[in-house]
Amino acid sequence: ISQSIADALATTLGVRKVEVAPATADLEAYEWYLRGRQLFAQRGANLPAARELLERAVERDPGFADAWAALAGTWYVWSSYAAEPAGAPTLERAGQAAARALALDPRHPGALAVSARLAADGGDRLREAELIRTALALEPNNANTWLWQGIGRFEVGHLSEAHASFVQAQR
């Protein structure tokens, strides 16, 4: 669908060839990813369903970097909204999913953002700043990444920068 839209707009935009890289060729995995990503964005009681859908998506297509990154984000925020499930701690699972996404796409903005928060949690604020800056350069309209940048700035006492990031996230 994206490619058809891009092709239809190519003449209007004055572009000779516009290509949209598919995230996955598996439409069922893509549907699960879209539904899981939406539930992740809503947070709260939606996280278990988000996790289940995203896990199904990566099980069906292990090469689906977007789904791995969304799963990493879901695991990262998990402890703020839900009890720890059995098995590996949620931050460890977040790190594993982010690593899988970055192995598939080393410049995946969502996986970089999760990795930034994990670096902050581990006390590596320079790495956090580098990763979050890269994530925002790659995807400047991601509200979640702006939110996480704001949290990181707040945690180190840079309140005006934190406020600016929160305002941008809201926009």
Side-chain angles (χ1 to χ4, degrees), residues 10-22:
T11 304
T12 305
L13 297 174
V15 178
R16 292 194 177 158
K17 185 164 183 160
V18 177
E19 291 188 29
V20 177

Side-chain angles (χ1 to χ4, degrees), residues 98-99 102 106-108 111-136 149 152-153 156:
L102 291 171
R107 294 180 50 82
H108 193 286
L112 290 169
V114 171
S115 297
R117 288 306 306 151
L118 291 168
D121 291 346
D124 191 345
R125 294 299 179 162
L126 293 176
R127 181 81 175 133
E128 174 210 10
E130 174 190 331
L131 290 169
I132 207 82
R133 188 172 34 255
T134 302
L136 286 170
Q149 177 178 266
R153 298 300 186 260
V156 295

